[in-house]
Amino acid sequence: NGITPLDANVKVDPIYLPQATEITFGVAKIATQAEANTGTDDATIITPKKLKNSVFGLGQTWQTITRSKGVTYTNTSGKLIIVFAQFTSGTFNHEVSLTVNGVLVDYLQMAGTAGATTLTKQLSVRGEVPAGSSYIFNSDHNSVSIVFSSELK
């Protein structure tokens, strides 16, 4: 075919190997996962696997999980996730919250007076949790419990 095979021990003068660009064929460096996650280097290429691991939502699905209020959980997925919890209570005047790394990111309060005390009240909170971050669903009242929770991870 007229093409001489490359020998790994032979050095090629870089003048013959230009940097690959959008319009020029050439040599390109494959990005590390850290470079893919940062997204600031425009001189390296990204593989489909690293793209999947760095883009929020790509390869992620909603999953039903079991969570309890007042317990610290950690996002070990390596990607940003979304968490959701639905609380229920038979009383008025309570609040629910989601805290990520000690910062309140969602809060909802149910306030009212007597009259409909036999009704079940439902409140929900949701928020984004960065990779490696911890989060807590909480409530100020003992009668409040989490009845459903899920994560997009």
Side-chain angles (χ1 to χ4, degrees):
N1 62 9
I3 298 175
T4 304
L6 291 177
D7 182 341
N9 297 315
V10 175
K11 295 192 180 216
V12 177
D13 190 334
I15 194 167
Y16 298 111
L17 302 172
Q19 173 73 32
T21 68
E22 287 88 351
I23 56 173
T24 304
F25 288 103
V27 176
K29 177 186 172 293
I30 296 177
T32 65
Q33 188 64 59
E35 290 169 327
N37 293 346
T38 304
T40 58
D41 185 350
D42 196 32
T44 59
I45 60 173
I46 188 169
T47 63
K49 181 178 178 181
K50 289 185 182 109
L51 178 65
K52 177 183 174 195
N53 291 337
S54 64
V55 176
F56 173 71
L58 216 58
Q60 293 175 285
T61 59
W62 279 104
Q63 299 175 28
T64 301
I65 55 172
T66 301
R67 292 293 182 248
S68 298
K69 67 180 185 176
V71 177
T72 300
Y73 299 97
T74 302
N75 173 7
T76 59
S77 71
K79 295 175 79 167
L80 176 78
I81 64 172
I82 296 177
V83 297
F84 171 85
Q86 182 177 4
F87 296 79
T88 188
S89 174
T91 63
F92 277 107
N93 300 321
H94 62 270
E95 57 192 47
V96 296
S97 64
L98 170 63
T99 304
V100 177
N101 288 340
V103 177
L104 182 66
V105 296
D106 200 6
Y107 169 86
L108 199 56
Q109 181 180 36
M110 169 78 75
T113 58
T117 56
T118 59
L119 296 177
T120 299
K121 289 81 178 171
Q122 295 186 339
L123 299 171
S124 61
V125 292
R126 67 163 294 282
E128 295 78 18
V129 181
S133 296
S134 60
Y135 66 96
I136 304 171
F137 293 114
N138 224 334
S139 170
D140 68 336
H141 201 280
N142 289 338
S143 70
V144 178
S145 61
I146 295 176
V147 294
F148 177 80
S149 54
S150 60
E151 290 181 350
L152 177 64
K153 64 179 182 178

